Amino acid sequence: MSERTKRLSRRNFLLTVGAGGAATAAAIVATKSTPVKPANPQDKRATRGYQASEHVSNYYRTTKV
């Protein structure tokens, strides 16, 4: 085997090992992720949206230059 063939063989091996490790990590993360809960329509905080309250108005007033 020539020096060039040995170098290419080593690179291919390392590339394969790296790709396999990345694929394994992605598969583990995909199986371990927690399911997303749907928003409860009874929850007031999820349905209220933005409201300009007194402390928000005070903040905006104090940031004026």
Side-chain angles (χ1 to χ4, degrees), residues 50 53-64:
Y50 177 79
S53 61
E54 184 178 345
H55 75 279
V56 172
S57 300
N58 187 32
Y59 171 78
Y60 286 133
R61 183 182 53 78
T62 59
T63 59
K64 289 182 183 177

Side-chain angles (χ1 to χ4, degrees), residues 7 9 18-19 43 55-56:
R7 191 176 317 142
S9 176
D43 190 11
H55 75 279
V56 172

Side-chain angles (χ1 to χ4, degrees), residues 29-50:
V29 169
T31 59
K32 298 285 183 180
S33 66
T34 58
V36 177
K37 289 183 177 179
N40 187 0
Q42 301 295 335
D43 190 11
K44 279 187 167 182
R45 289 178 290 165
T47 58
R48 256 182 15 186
Y50 177 79

